[in-house]
Amino acid sequence: MEYFVTERSGTAIQSAIDKAAEAGGGKVTLEPGTYLTGTLYLKSNIELHLPAGVKLLGYPDPEHYDDFRDPGFDAVAPEGSRKCLIACANCENVSITGSGEINGNGPEFYDRNVAPGAFFAKPPHPRPRMIQFYNCRNVVFDGVSFLDSPGWTFWLIACEDVRITRIRIIGCQQMINNDGIDIDSCRRVAVSDSFFRTGDDCLILRAIRRSPDQPSICEEVTVTNCVLDSRCQGIRIGCPSDDTIRNCQFSGIVFRGEGSGIRCENPYRYLRRNCRGYLHVSDLSFENFDITTGLFPIRINVEGAIRLRGVERIRFRNIRIRAKQPISLEGNAETPLCDIQFSGISGVVEGDVPIVAKAVTRLKLDDFELTADRGTPLPFSREESASWESKF
């Protein structure tokens, strides 16, 4: 059954969602217009439909947002905030569809009194995320534009069978922590035919551990035919204290941005307390990429003496590169990178080093052609020498 919302308020939207849920499910359709709202709760068997001309607009202050809490989820929230605009927990058959817009009013949450082009200053009060789903099944996001989330745009936690297609995620690039989609400990997630422009990372795979005895696995994620633009990273894989990220594929990706294209970074500053490292990344593939970046096109690093369970079996195929920094692969004595393969690599790297590889086991390069011939000009100077060669 379809339920139409004409009153332009979050209260009216929530009432229609609740009514549809009580009847066993249905489609909640918003009439064209702007709906100012705080936190909304989606439920099982509900489709929230936003046709063209609909704008769901978040309030510009945190007091209108609830904290996201669930008995099964009590992890430390990023940026110290549990608040979110659209929440859903322990549900199935949930979707947000249409060609309308969800706008988080993001810049209103920051101190924007900064130099032109600089990142906005973080405020002392919590900033809400836009979409937060926990332990949900059979989830669809199709066609909607998600604009200016004050925090992470999507945080999907322990969800399965998620399809995200034909969406736009656009955030002011002077905002920090406005990630695109954080896919955390999820299985069978497909993202396709979408556009991302963010100040922070566009697409992120995580496996954040809730407790030492609760495994967190992120696997079977596919991303195809997407365009990414980020000041940080286009694609980011894990943090050193995460659990397991495996069997994921990225293909048909165009990246244009100031940030790095693909990055799996494991520095000391990301370690949890009393943790020396735990992440295991394996069996990832990146195919048919076109990367233009002001930083690294591809960077995998494990800093210092951090000890991970493994970074292995990662394949890069048909990658076109224009970058200021080289491809960078840097393991360490505790965690050498293992089975890293490159084939069909071409392009230009500014400077004189096309690739850096340290502490790598079984690095394979096939059809690898990068130009990096721009050395730093130095003045010529002749030195006095005792060598007989200098006497001629």
Side-chain angles (χ1 to χ4, degrees):
M1 185 172 179
E2 190 166 8
Y3 299 80
F4 291 93
V5 180
T6 57
E7 179 187 325
R8 288 168 175 73
S9 71
T11 301
I13 297 171
Q14 189 64 60
S15 178
I17 292 171
D18 295 343
K19 186 176 180 179
E22 289 172 4
K27 183 176 183 179
V28 175
T29 299
L30 277 57
E31 295 289 340
T34 298
Y35 296 74
L36 191 62
T37 184
T39 302
L40 295 173
Y41 294 89
L42 292 183
K43 299 181 179 181
S44 290
N45 306 311
I46 297 296
E47 176 185 353
L48 178 62
H49 185 63
L50 283 62
V54 170
K55 177 189 286 189
L56 201 60
L57 181 63
Y59 279 103
D61 53 78
E63 287 76 15
H64 288 90
Y65 298 89
D66 297 341
D67 287 347
F68 187 102
R69 294 186 182 274
D70 184 88
F73 175 80
D74 196 30
V76 175
E79 294 299 303
S81 174
R82 294 180 180 274
K83 298 184 180 299
C84 64
L85 178 58
I86 299 180
C88 191
N90 307 307
C91 292
E92 61 182 7
N93 306 323
V94 182
S95 59
I96 300 178
T97 65
S99 52
E101 169 187 329
I102 301 177
N103 191 309
N105 239 330
E108 296 296 323
F109 287 82
Y110 289 80
D111 177 359
R112 289 168 284 167
N113 186 26
V114 298
F119 281 116
F120 297 148
K122 297 180 184 180
H125 51 75
R127 289 169 287 121
R129 284 170 286 280
M130 185 173 283
I131 306 291
Q132 187 161 342
F133 277 40
Y134 167 68
N135 193 35
C136 293
R137 307 289 181 271
N138 193 22
V139 176
V140 173
F141 300 94
D142 187 351
V144 176
S145 295
F146 301 86
L147 308 182
D148 277 336
S149 177
W152 294 2
T153 310
F154 280 68
W155 190 11
L156 306 177
I157 312 139
C159 293
E160 295 185 358
D161 301 306
V162 179
R163 179 169 61 87
I164 302 171
T165 185
R166 300 184 305 136
I167 70 167
R168 295 191 309 154
I169 293 179
I170 300 175
C172 173
Q173 291 192 312
Q174 289 180 264
M175 293 193 296
I176 195 66
N177 308 120
N178 64 341
D179 295 10
I181 304 177
D182 284 79
I183 302 170
D184 176 11
S185 309
C186 295
R187 288 183 168 93
R188 298 183 299 279
V189 178
V191 182
S192 69
D193 305 291
S194 296
F195 176 78
F196 300 75
R197 180 185 294 130
T198 58
D200 218 309
D201 308 330
C202 291
L203 285 161
I204 308 94
L205 302 188
R206 297 293 306 273
I208 300 173
R209 291 186 292 160
R210 316 301 166 197
S211 65
D213 59 348
Q214 183 179 356
S216 294
I217 299 173
C218 185
E219 62 182 349
E220 300 174 20
V221 175
T222 63
V223 179
T224 57
N225 301 331
C226 290
V227 176
L228 315 179
D229 177 355
S230 170
R231 286 183 72 174
C232 288
Q233 279 79 238
I235 296 170
R236 174 180 161 191
I237 308 296
C239 278
S241 298
D242 284 0
D243 196 328
T244 301
I245 300 172
R246 65 192 182 195
N247 301 325
C248 300
Q249 299 178 348
F250 298 81
S251 65
I253 306 297
V254 174
F255 176 81
R256 300 284 187 272
E258 296 179 28
S260 297
I262 302 165
R263 195 158 186 161
C264 178
E265 184 178 18
N266 296 278
Y268 283 113
R269 69 181 184 277
Y270 288 166
L271 281 174
R272 288 186 177 185
R273 294 178 182 176
N274 304 315
C275 178
R276 190 172 173 179
Y278 193 73
L279 176 67
H280 187 198
V281 174
S282 67
D283 300 289
L284 306 185
S285 71
F286 303 86
E287 299 191 15
N288 300 321
F289 273 61
D290 191 320
I291 299 174
T292 299
T293 169
L295 292 175
F296 298 94
I298 299 165
R299 177 164 167 77
I300 305 174
N301 78 304
V302 186
E303 191 175 5
I306 290 176
R307 180 186 299 153
L308 306 183
R309 289 179 298 143
V311 179
E312 56 191 348
R313 298 189 299 279
I314 302 178
R315 183 179 67 176
F316 301 91
R317 182 174 178 269
N318 293 339
I319 312 289
R320 294 164 297 282
I321 291 170
R322 288 174 295 279
K324 291 188 176 181
Q325 300 292 331
I327 293 174
S328 177
L329 310 172
E330 299 186 48
N332 64 25
E334 301 286 349
T335 312
L337 312 181
C338 185
D339 287 323
I340 312 296
Q341 299 183 22
F342 290 88
S343 63
I345 309 301
S346 63
V348 177
V349 174
E350 293 185 18
D352 55 4
V353 178
I355 182 170
V356 174
K358 300 178 182 179
V360 183
T361 302
R362 294 192 295 277
L363 171 63
K364 183 177 180 180
L365 306 181
D366 181 23
D367 187 17
F368 187 101
E369 184 179 340
L370 280 182
T371 295
D373 59 4
R374 187 181 301 175
T376 303
L378 298 174
F380 176 80
S381 63
R382 187 178 299 279
E383 298 181 359
E384 292 297 326
S385 171
S387 170
W388 68 272
E389 295 281 359
S390 66
K391 306 307 179 185
F392 292 90

